[in-house]
Amino acid sequence: MTETGTLTTSARSPAAPPLLGGLGLFTVLLGAALPLIDFFIVNVALPTMGQDLHASESVLELVIAGYGVSYAVLLVLGGRLGDLFGRRRLFLGGMAAFGLTSLACGLAPNAWMLVAARVAQGAASAAMLPQVLATIQSATDGPRRAKAMSLYGATAGLSMVAGQILGGVLVAADIAGTGWRSVFLVNVPVVVLGLVLAARAVPETRSQHPEPVDGPGTVLLATALLALLAPLTEGRAAGWPLWTWLSLALFPLAAAAFYFVERREDRRGRTPLVPPSLFALTSFRRGLVMIVPFGIGFSGFMFVIAVALQDGAGLGPVQAGLALAPMAAVFFVVSLCGPHLIARYGTRVVTAGGLIQAVGVALLALAAWRSWPDLGVWQLAPGAAVAGAGQALQLPVLFRIILSEVPPVRGGVGSGVMITTQQSALALGVATLGSLFLSLVPGHGMQDALVTTLLVQLAIVALTTLLSLRLPRRIS
């Protein structure tokens, strides 16, 4: 087989697996960017939404939580369905549904209709996103796969920051009087473009030995994630009623039942929704453990900084979004160096990234302490840039580590488990760090609440740095 370029179509024998070319890679990365952008794009738009729809704080939190919970709950199932029916088919269907639900969000006449549309949008994302990594795993190999995985990691990290920036710009631009609605309506033409490109350039792949959907495992996983995420995301705003405590008490029981059911299915030679045998892979297990605190710290920071800059420092949505532009720019540049650095230094690059991110978060806390309330782009730029560099040395590499030993036949399942873990961590970050920040504001003021939350995030970064020392030194 002769290659004509790192990410371009190659001459191959008829028996060779389908190859993901440059245009196909661009298309699936576009599909990966959309769900992540939409998780963060609403952060700076929430105040405008609340005013326009006369929505309470608890309902506005559901706009974020409804999307995040349905997204997290259905991701593993989306990966399994791709293995079973074809990843290209699920990618196309999920993207089309994402466009339709985005339109429904943009046209929602009231807050509850918006919440319902966001739940449906999360489900569409869960059908689309697992197919991206599974396609990369199945239709690339060697250096081609390493570069594609690095680009996926760069896309994921950049999308999370860019979503917040884009949200601020769109709300302020008020295109044709649409206001906050444009943050959803902008998806529609992008989806149309993506569908056209996907129909032409994304190869069809599927598991060679597809298994039927694991019904009991799907129900138990959904129950466990709902029992954990629903009370944590809604508990503070609702005043921690009885149902939140009952739900949290149900979580360990549902999680234990899920584990025993999946282990039984695995021992019987079937393929459960989440095969416990995957966790025998050291890189998979340790990478997932590390991505949890990383995701909690990342999303918690993004939510808190959006609220603090608008409600505390008095910035508009554009200024609040652009305050993170240095983070996005540095993240993108540094993440492109990942493959070269990994080849030379191994996974100790992740440890170095944690140390660099810690310096960046400390600089952000110092800026909030010294400059409040005159906190803007210039005051935050040094810390944001340094933190972005540290994050870029961790997130893309972690994705590659986690999936490095997963066989292509289980690509959909492995990527579904990884993205579910990441998405659950993102939702937990908003719920935990966001709740901490908002609970501190009334008694301590916005400045002290922000500084305290940043110091908590600094402790989380220290934990991720320590966990990185247990990663395998080399990626297979």
Side-chain angles (χ1 to χ4, degrees):
M1 183 171 68
T2 60
E3 294 190 355
T4 59
T6 306
L7 290 172
T8 56
T9 305
S10 304
R12 61 193 187 280
S13 67
L19 187 66
L20 186 66
L23 184 60
L25 179 61
F26 170 82
T27 306
V28 295
L29 291 180
L30 178 66
L34 286 171
L36 290 169
I37 287 174
D38 265 60
F39 185 86
F40 291 94
I41 201 170
V42 300
N43 282 349
V44 292
L46 285 176
T48 311
M49 287 181 190
Q51 294 170 11
D52 187 37
L53 299 177
H54 308 289
S56 66
E57 181 184 339
S58 60
V59 175
L60 287 177
E61 285 195 3
L62 277 175
V63 173
I64 297 177
Y67 177 83
V69 171
S70 68
Y71 185 14
V73 164
L74 296 171
L75 272 165
V76 178
L77 178 61
R80 170 60 64 84
L81 292 175
D83 288 350
L84 186 62
F85 296 111
R87 291 149 189 159
R88 178 176 177 270
R89 181 180 299 177
L90 262 291
F91 181 79
L92 286 166
M95 180 172 277
F98 185 86
L100 291 173
T101 53
S102 295
L103 181 63
C105 289
L107 299 178
N110 55 61
W112 286 109
M113 288 295 291
L114 176 59
V115 170
R118 283 284 281 175
V119 171
Q121 190 186 37
S125 298
M128 175 172 58
L129 189 56
Q131 319 315 326
V132 175
L133 281 170
T135 299
I136 290 174
Q137 287 287 97
S138 300
T140 61
D141 55 19
R144 186 189 301 272
R145 180 184 297 173
K147 187 169 184 179
M149 287 298 298
S150 296
L151 287 171
Y152 174 86
T155 300
L158 185 62
S159 297
M160 290 189 279
V161 181
Q164 205 140 308
I165 298 172
L166 180 61
V169 172
L170 288 173
V171 170
D174 193 20
I175 302 169
T178 55
W180 61 266
R181 297 178 186 274
S182 61
V183 304
F184 300 114
L185 296 175
V186 72
N187 292 331
V188 177
V190 178
V191 164
V192 172
L193 173 64
L195 289 172
V196 172
L197 294 178
R200 292 185 56 191
V202 176
E204 181 64 281
T205 63
R206 69 181 71 203
S207 173
Q208 297 301 310
H209 305 285
E211 295 281 347
V213 172
D214 174 12
T218 300
V219 171
L220 286 170
L221 178 62
T223 301
L225 288 174
L226 282 170
L228 176 65
L229 296 177
L232 288 179
T233 52
E234 280 298 295
R236 187 198 62 81
W240 296 104
L242 178 62
W243 72 264
T244 59
W245 299 107
L246 293 177
S247 182
L248 288 172
L250 174 63
F251 167 69
L253 301 177
F258 173 72
Y259 171 75
F260 286 118
V261 166
E262 298 299 274
R263 187 177 66 172
R264 183 192 64 192
E265 293 296 292
D266 214 13
R267 287 177 173 175
R268 290 178 176 178
R270 301 170 185 168
T271 302
L273 187 70
V274 179
S277 55
L278 277 180
F279 293 89
L281 304 174
T282 302
S283 56
F284 187 83
R285 182 179 66 253
R286 294 181 180 177
L288 285 181
V289 168
M290 184 178 166
I291 211 169
V292 171
F294 182 91
I296 289 173
F298 193 103
S299 65
F301 166 77
M302 297 295 285
F303 175 79
V304 167
I305 202 69
V307 175
L309 291 180
Q310 290 186 91
D311 293 348
L315 299 183
V318 173
Q319 292 87 349
L322 290 179
L324 298 176
M327 177 180 287
V330 174
F331 185 102
F332 180 72
V333 172
V334 174
S335 63
L336 295 179
C337 303
H340 172 72
L341 293 173
I342 282 291
R344 185 168 183 179
Y345 300 108
T347 59
R348 288 299 172 258
V349 169
V350 180
T351 306
L355 295 172
I356 294 169
Q357 185 188 3
V359 173
V361 174
L363 289 174
L364 288 168
L366 182 62
W369 177 64
R370 294 183 59 182
S371 302
W372 189 266
D374 300 318
L375 203 60
V377 176
W378 298 112
Q379 290 78 16
L380 293 173
V386 174
Q391 291 162 348
L393 294 176
Q394 296 174 84
L395 188 62
V397 182
L398 271 178
F399 287 151
R400 187 176 162 194
I401 290 170
I402 292 169
L403 295 178
S404 61
E405 295 179 294
V406 176
V409 71
R410 285 188 165 178
V413 176
S415 61
V417 173
M418 184 187 76
I419 303 168
T420 297
T421 304
Q422 179 201 15
Q423 184 60 37
S424 299
L426 293 178
L428 283 172
V430 175
T432 53
L433 290 183
S435 293
L436 171 66
F437 171 75
L438 293 173
S439 64
L440 289 173
V441 170
H444 298 82
M446 190 75 72
Q447 180 188 19
D448 287 349
L450 177 59
V451 172
T452 300
T453 307
L454 287 172
L455 292 177
V456 171
Q457 191 199 354
L458 186 60
I460 294 173
V461 173
L463 174 61
T464 62
T465 305
L466 289 173
L467 289 173
S468 71
L469 297 174
R470 290 182 51 79
L471 294 173
R473 288 300 299 266
R474 295 288 171 184
I475 302 176
S476 60

